[in-house]
Amino acid sequence: MTEARHRSPRRARRSLSLLLTSALAAAGLLVTASPAQAESTLRDLAAQNGGRHFGTALTYNPLNSDSQYRDIAAAQFSAVTHENEMKWEALEPQQGQYNWSQADSIINFAKANNQIVRGHTLVWHSQLPSWLNNGGYNGNQLRSIMENHIEVVAGRYRGDLYAWDVVNEAFNEDGTFRNSIWYQGMGRDYIAHAFRKAHEVDPNAKLYINDYNIEGINAKSNGLYNLVVDLLNEGVPIHGVGIQSHLIVGQVPSTFQQNMQRFADLGLDVAITELDIRMQMPADNNKLQQQARDYEAVVDACLAVNRCIGITVWGIDDERSWVPYTFPGEGAPLLYDGQYNRKPAWYAVYEALGGTDDPGEEPGNPGEEPGGPGEEPGEPGTPGGPCDVDYAVVNDWGNGMQGALTVTNTGSSPISNWTLQFTLANVNISNGWNGDWTQNGSQITVTAPAWNATLNPGQSTELGFVADKTGSVSTPTQFTLNGATCS
Ligand code: XIL
């Protein structure tokens, strides 16, 4: 259901220094930089930026069944948030009966990998157990239920967690308080009660208020700001503001940095806690490029604010993201696609954090570059083809698959009557579209349809096919367009 490979975006996002390195290497002027050199990781790079963390949300199932997920989680991230396993409905589905095992398992993983854990979340209106939602409790009862929950949960994990999202999503879009059961029962005092109790139970944890749509300066973030000022004046132990950052491609607020700074100026830490940047599906090259720039803008904004102490992305890969389930028609919001290939956004984050070597593919994932890290056709200093092909597995149902290709003319003259060729073993193509598809063994040829015979410079065309699989199918490594090798 998601993209398998994105080539040109990555090349386009390389930093100047990286390009220079490649060019010097190609000219034989660099003798260092052995291809075997270990790449930096996102967690290392974030740490080099003032000790910041770069975290992810994790979920129990893939962590315990999918070694690639686990490897990336361990290698690239220095902070962990439970995506669901620490929410009230997960921990206490029946009153007084607690399920700790999945939450514990994620904490143990974090400890084993030297990662901090953000506790998410103590007091929220959502994902509450039905006994609580439907209990008809009055204000006093709700206060004691809430404080008891904090005592039990924060008490159990005392010392294990770096921070708690004590209160989550307390605001409406217009900056007024959300009419949650907590607000109904206790008014806005529930927030102060929750923070005081959490501090009493786990005095070393950093205590955050966390919300979405508060990235820029707007009515909602103003409401939060005013609350935080009041809480500080009242001596309530609050230490940080969590800015979820569930964003949309092309819509990173221009006041993001300024907004973080005003909270930092109150003496609070700021963290980006649930970053993802979604797009209308299907993804295409332009959207993935824009997404890369958006991720870069978010990282830049954080790095520009001293007290922006870290960034957490809300999941590892697009396939397992909450976005397609929550925002129908939208998806592809994360740094890895469904096959754990690094997307342009990954490289953008890498570079924004100061990565300068060529990181290549995720270790353990098949690379696309036969020449080894750093040498991709089309790099400055090496001859490049006039075309670029992105290949994606849109769907894979075991004995069959659907593939998609985006073919782009990256040269400066039109390509007419184009013929695309590539090798794909173990498939029988049953249907192909947007071109005339023929197959000779593993050699696939697509010729231009009459209505789309010319690709102008910069223009792309989308091709698709459905195939039966007769064995395992890997990603094509070479494409030619009218005989010229594509990047
Ligand atoms: C989401 C999870 O990602 C989903 O798996 C779950 O079904 C619903 O909650 N704000 C938050 C997170 O604070 O807890 C939410 O996580 C996403 C929005």
Side-chain angles (χ1 to χ4, degrees):
M1 108 175 222
T2 37
E3 302 68 28
R5 190 151 300 276
H6 308 282
R7 295 165 171 236
S8 55
R10 167 176 164 199
R11 191 179 61 252
R13 275 298 314 130
R14 290 241 167 89
S15 69
L16 201 56
S17 57
L18 202 57
L19 297 180
L20 195 60
T21 310
S22 304
L24 291 174
L29 298 175
L30 272 190
V31 284
T32 52
S34 101
Q37 199 176 32
E39 66 168 70
S40 305
T41 60
L42 301 180
R43 66 184 287 175
D44 292 344
L45 292 169
Q48 287 160 25
N49 280 282
R52 288 177 172 83
H53 64 256
F54 197 82
T56 185
L58 292 180
T59 54
Y60 176 82
N61 283 332
L63 195 63
N64 287 279
S65 60
D66 181 339
S67 62
Q68 260 183 302
Y69 180 96
R70 197 162 49 236
D71 290 349
I72 294 174
Q76 297 293 342
F77 301 99
S78 51
V80 163
T81 305
H82 300 68
E83 188 168 347
N84 289 301
E85 294 78 353
M86 271 206 171
K87 293 172 181 173
W88 202 319
E89 69 174 3
L91 290 181
E92 196 189 7
Q94 268 84 46
Q95 191 162 19
Q97 290 177 25
Y98 292 90
N99 287 335
W100 303 111
S101 63
Q102 295 199 354
D104 288 357
S105 154
I106 290 174
I107 287 177
N108 291 336
F109 177 86
K111 282 184 184 164
N113 291 293
N114 195 21
Q115 294 162 320
I116 58 168
V117 181
R118 301 194 76 262
H120 179 77
T121 175
L122 291 170
V123 183
W124 189 24
H125 67 280
S126 183
Q127 293 183 273
L128 293 173
S130 55
W131 64 262
L132 174 51
N133 260 333
N134 306 327
Y137 298 108
N138 67 30
N140 285 338
Q141 291 169 317
L142 282 167
R143 180 168 175 183
S144 93
I145 289 170
M146 180 186 84
E147 291 185 339
N148 177 61
H149 180 72
I150 294 171
E151 231 166 79
V152 172
V153 177
R156 178 182 169 90
Y157 293 113
R158 180 176 25 238
D160 287 339
L161 304 186
Y162 166 75
W164 268 112
D165 288 332
V166 177
V167 171
N168 196 29
E169 301 182 350
F171 284 92
N172 296 316
E173 296 304 293
D174 65 0
T176 58
F177 288 104
R178 183 192 290 273
N179 197 22
S180 64
I181 60 167
W182 311 113
Y183 187 78
Q184 286 168 23
M186 291 173 262
R188 62 85 106 177
D189 287 350
Y190 84 88
I191 298 173
H193 294 325
F195 276 86
R196 289 189 199 282
K197 177 53 81 176
H199 188 58
E200 181 189 310
V201 176
D202 189 355
N204 294 323
K206 299 273 190 192
L207 304 183
Y208 278 68
I209 188 160
N210 193 51
D211 217 322
Y212 64 94
N213 286 355
I214 55 157
E215 293 73 32
I217 294 183
N218 57 34
K220 192 173 188 179
S221 65
N222 287 344
L224 172 65
Y225 183 85
N226 292 336
L227 169 74
V228 167
V229 169
D230 287 349
L231 293 175
L232 289 169
N233 285 336
E234 292 160 24
V236 173
I238 177 169
H239 312 114
V241 174
I243 302 182
Q244 292 185 9
S245 309
H246 295 292
L247 299 172
I248 296 172
V249 158
Q251 298 182 27
V252 178
S254 58
T255 50
F256 204 158
Q257 178 185 330
Q258 195 188 341
N259 187 43
M260 286 193 279
Q261 190 63 55
R262 69 171 169 162
F263 285 105
D265 290 344
L266 296 174
L268 297 175
D269 285 344
V270 180
I272 292 170
T273 52
E274 306 183 12
L275 176 62
D276 52 21
I277 309 184
R278 60 188 188 267
M279 60 182 71
Q280 283 294 330
M281 297 302 280
D284 65 26
N285 201 31
N286 286 341
K287 295 177 197 170
L288 293 166
Q289 288 297 331
Q290 180 62 48
Q291 182 183 53
R293 288 194 291 277
D294 292 340
Y295 267 98
E296 179 185 4
V298 173
V299 173
D300 286 349
C302 178
L303 296 184
V305 176
N306 269 342
R307 296 202 67 160
C308 178
I309 59 135
I311 298 173
T312 293
V313 287
W314 202 240
I316 292 179
D317 67 287
D318 290 342
E319 186 93 18
R320 290 158 194 79
S321 163
W322 75 307
V323 164
Y325 305 99
T326 315
F327 306 96
E330 297 178 79
L334 291 168
L335 301 181
Y336 293 85
D337 70 17
Q339 283 74 41
Y340 300 116
N341 294 300
R342 295 169 174 175
K343 292 167 57 189
W346 190 99
Y347 294 96
V349 168
Y350 183 88
E351 289 176 14
L353 290 172
T356 52
D357 51 338
D358 185 340
E361 291 287 327
E362 196 67 32
N365 241 29
E368 73 203 30
E369 300 134 313
E375 293 309 319
E376 214 172 19
E379 288 288 343
T382 60
C387 47
D388 181 87
V389 180
D390 282 358
Y391 173 82
V393 175
V394 180
N395 209 340
D396 186 331
W397 51 95
N399 55 1
M401 64 176 284
Q402 180 183 341
L405 300 98
T406 306
V407 183
T408 306
N409 177 354
T410 52
S412 48
S413 27
I415 302 175
S416 295
N417 297 322
W418 51 264
T419 297
L420 175 77
Q421 290 197 298
F422 62 97
T423 302
L424 192 60
N426 295 329
V427 292
N428 285 321
I429 294 185
S430 54
N431 186 20
W433 53 93
N434 292 350
D436 297 321
W437 289 69
T438 53
Q439 177 174 8
N440 183 4
S442 57
Q443 187 65 37
I444 316 292
T445 303
V446 192
T447 54
W451 52 268
N452 193 22
T454 301
L455 274 179
N456 287 316
Q459 195 188 341
S460 299
T461 188
E462 311 272 353
L463 311 177
F465 68 90
V466 170
D468 296 323
K469 289 164 57 180
T470 57
S472 97
V473 177
S474 53
T475 301
T477 50
Q478 208 191 47
F479 297 90
T480 63
L481 197 64
N482 289 356
T485 302
C486 300
S487 312

